[in-house]
Amino acid sequence: MSKGVLYVVATPIGNLDDISMRAVEILREVDLIAAEDTRHTKPLLRHYAIDTPMQSFHEHNERAQVAKLTEVLQSGRSVALVSDAGTPLISDPGFPLVREAAGLGIRIVPVPGPSAMTCALSAAGLPTDRFLFAGFPPRNQGQRRDWLGELIRERATLVFYESSHRIVASLKAMVEVFGGEREAVIAREVTKLHETFLRGSLDELLSQVEQDANQRKGEFVVLVAGAPAGSTEMQAEIVVDQLLSRLLDELPLKRAVALVAELTGNKKNKLYDQALRIKESRV
Ligand code: SAM
């Protein structure tokens, strides 16, 4: 028996009209739709009068479902994989299934459509010739700072996903790690009623979001301009900032300042002001 096809189908990230005609056709014709959350996908299917059977396929049952779905595919039936919004596998479930299917020689067909990252990039006004999609920053404060720290010298435009719960904390961490002057864009509720693009420096964006509760609602893509070609002087400043920031996690302010002064030859009073700014940005 010939194997079935696994379709990886992009669905809207807000506006239900943002789905391709081919995607609608495929969702109608496959034997089974594997959906991240069947309750979430139901309105979309209803909207397009699609009555294909659905099966849930989310993070918690992903591994167990891979075996079942590959069996379905190997029996010659076709499956469409969809997530709650946008392109499956992009900060969404699906990777183990696609990998396993690829290993088994099953045909995998992408059915392209929206993804919040490409939508945001296309309208942000930041360079798009090179970009790095980083996904969600870690939730833990220390881990988040270290994780962002690894991107400090990246020249490509950085693209992050963030939720309303952590948008302020993440922006604060970005100010701390990349510096408040770095140019950035916050794309919120893209393709939805309250779509907003905020453009400015990280400092400006943080204060706008802090001051306006509406700007903390919904879903976010945060785009940060890549590191400027910059002088070695500037790179050194960034390293000093990172070092100070890390030592402030472990030591009293005075001790952290004294150590950084000793290690880098920077003036204590300048480092003291810098340390105070870092502390304030963490409140
Ligand atoms: N697979 C999806 C995609 O292709 O964009 C992403 C899924 S991920 C679990 C959800 C995150 O994507 C949200 O927390 C937010 O960061 C971003 N996102 C999704 N829809 C969005 C929208 N309409 N506007 C802004 N960001 C959005």
Side-chain angles (χ1 to χ4, degrees), residues 2 13 24 41 60 66 78 84 104 113 139 172 200 208 219 236:
S2 65
I13 57 165
V24 171
T41 302
H60 311 293
V66 167
S78 53
D84 284 354
L104 291 168
R139 293 171 180 211
K172 279 186 179 171
Q208 260 181 289
E219 300 190 281

Side-chain angles (χ1 to χ4, degrees), residues 5-280:
V5 176
L6 172 62
Y7 295 95
V8 185
V9 181
T11 57
I13 57 165
N15 189 325
L16 285 188
D17 291 338
D18 291 336
I19 187 164
S20 75
M21 288 162 75
R22 181 168 164 245
V24 171
E25 227 170 85
I26 285 168
L27 290 176
R28 216 172 255 144
E29 284 169 11
V30 287
D31 297 295
L32 182 68
I33 297 173
E36 181 182 4
D37 183 341
T38 54
R39 287 165 307 178
H40 195 102
T41 302
K42 234 176 222 163
L44 178 74
L45 299 193
R46 205 178 305 124
H47 188 77
Y48 288 100
I50 297 168
D51 58 9
T52 308
M54 264 200 290
Q55 186 172 315
S56 84
F57 182 81
H58 49 72
E59 272 176 341
H60 311 293
N61 72 355
E62 201 171 14
R63 302 246 159 219
Q65 287 297 321
V66 167
K68 279 195 196 164
L69 289 171
T70 47
E71 214 178 287
V72 170
L73 288 159
Q74 286 189 303
S75 75
R77 284 171 288 167
S78 53
V79 175
L81 172 68
V82 298
S83 61
D84 284 354
T87 302
L89 279 81
I90 305 299
S91 294
D92 262 342
F95 172 64
L97 175 62
V98 169
R99 190 157 175 89
E100 180 74 11
L104 291 168
I106 291 166
R107 188 166 161 231
I108 306 164
V109 174
V111 185
S115 181
M117 77 161 164
T118 44
C119 290
L121 256 176
S122 69
L126 289 174
T128 53
D129 53 336
R130 205 172 359 153
F131 63 88
L132 188 151
F133 173 65
F136 287 95
R139 293 171 180 211
N140 171 280
Q141 197 184 5
Q143 285 172 6
R144 184 165 50 218
R145 218 174 317 123
D146 293 347
W147 183 86
L148 289 173
E150 287 171 18
L151 299 171
I152 207 160
R153 282 186 199 81
E154 179 56 59
R155 302 280 293 277
T157 296
L158 305 171
V159 185
F160 303 96
Y161 279 170
E162 198 45 282
S163 73
S164 55
H165 309 294
R166 277 175 291 278
I167 185 68
V168 171
S170 272
L171 287 172
K172 279 186 179 171
M174 288 175 193
V175 166
E176 198 180 304
V177 174
F178 301 134
E181 279 164 21
R182 195 79 83 92
E183 191 186 355
V185 177
I186 300 177
R188 184 176 74 93
E189 294 290 89
V190 179
T191 77
K192 301 189 206 173
L193 182 64
H194 298 292
E195 178 180 285
T196 321
F197 280 79
L198 297 179
R199 298 178 174 87
S201 68
L202 275 170
D203 262 340
E204 287 164 351
L205 296 183
L206 171 61
S207 70
Q208 260 181 289
V209 172
E210 279 186 316
Q211 280 163 27
D212 182 353
N214 285 326
Q215 296 303 332
R216 300 196 288 274
K217 290 181 187 157
E219 300 190 281
F220 303 83
V221 182
V222 180
L223 306 102
V224 180
S231 58
T232 43
E233 221 169 81
M234 193 189 139
Q235 304 285 2
E237 287 252 327
I238 292 171
V239 172
V240 169
D241 205 66
Q242 264 191 304
L243 183 60
L244 195 52
S245 172
R246 188 66 191 85
L247 288 181
L248 283 170
D249 290 340
E250 313 283 341
L251 300 170
L253 189 139
K254 258 188 146 174
R255 185 76 192 120
V257 166
L259 273 179
V260 178
E262 185 188 321
L263 291 168
T264 65
N266 276 261
K267 291 229 159 58
K268 269 192 190 164
N269 53 356
K270 181 184 159 242
L271 291 172
Y272 194 80
D273 290 344
Q274 210 169 330
L276 284 178
R277 271 201 307 278
I278 293 173
K279 283 241 164 199
E280 274 163 26

